[in-house]
Amino acid sequence: MPIPDAPRQQTRHIDSVEADGTWLRVTQFQHGGSWIELSRTTCRNDGVMIRRDFVTIDTQGREVKGNLIQDHIRLGSVPPETFSIPSDVTLLRRR
């Protein structure tokens, strides 16, 4: 017997831009005729995410609220030596 399809839930994203260029995206899903907020993401005017507040469900079915905050993020080039292989590492290749 095949596994039944999961019920479809309708989701939506609501985007807005503040006067200073800060971008906000709210993600919601519809449950029982009401819209429930799942996450709220804030990005700087250069597109870098600075905050996300979210709700998820743990393995026991409990609601877990969380947030992620980033600061001191700078955009720019990265020196090539950042990605160089340390001298004490030996690369092996499998075929």
Side-chain angles (χ1 to χ4, degrees):
M1 181 175 227
I3 298 172
D5 292 335
R8 289 186 170 241
Q9 294 185 350
Q10 188 172 4
T11 60
R12 69 180 178 186
H13 301 289
I14 301 169
D15 296 329
S16 62
V17 179
E18 303 296 322
D20 66 354
T22 302
W23 176 74
L24 176 68
R25 169 171 273 189
V26 176
T27 301
Q28 300 174 328
F29 81 98
Q30 193 173 34
H31 179 71
S34 299
W35 288 99
I36 299 170
E37 187 171 308
L38 292 177
S39 68
R40 179 176 293 261
T41 304
T42 306
C43 296
R44 299 186 317 207
N45 61 0
D46 61 1
V48 173
M49 185 193 81
I50 55 175
R51 183 178 181 99
R52 175 172 285 163
D53 298 299
F54 59 91
V55 176
T56 189
I57 306 297
D58 72 8
T59 56
Q60 280 76 42
R62 296 176 297 216
E63 184 179 286
V64 177
K65 293 182 180 182
N67 61 46
L68 170 68
I69 300 170
Q70 301 185 117
D71 58 5
H72 304 302
I73 305 244
R74 292 178 290 135
L75 299 179
S77 59
V78 178
E81 59 271 12
T82 302
F83 300 103
S84 63
I85 299 169
S87 59
D88 60 338
V89 171
T90 303
L91 295 179
L92 302 175
R93 179 178 291 196
R94 289 186 173 182
R95 294 184 188 232

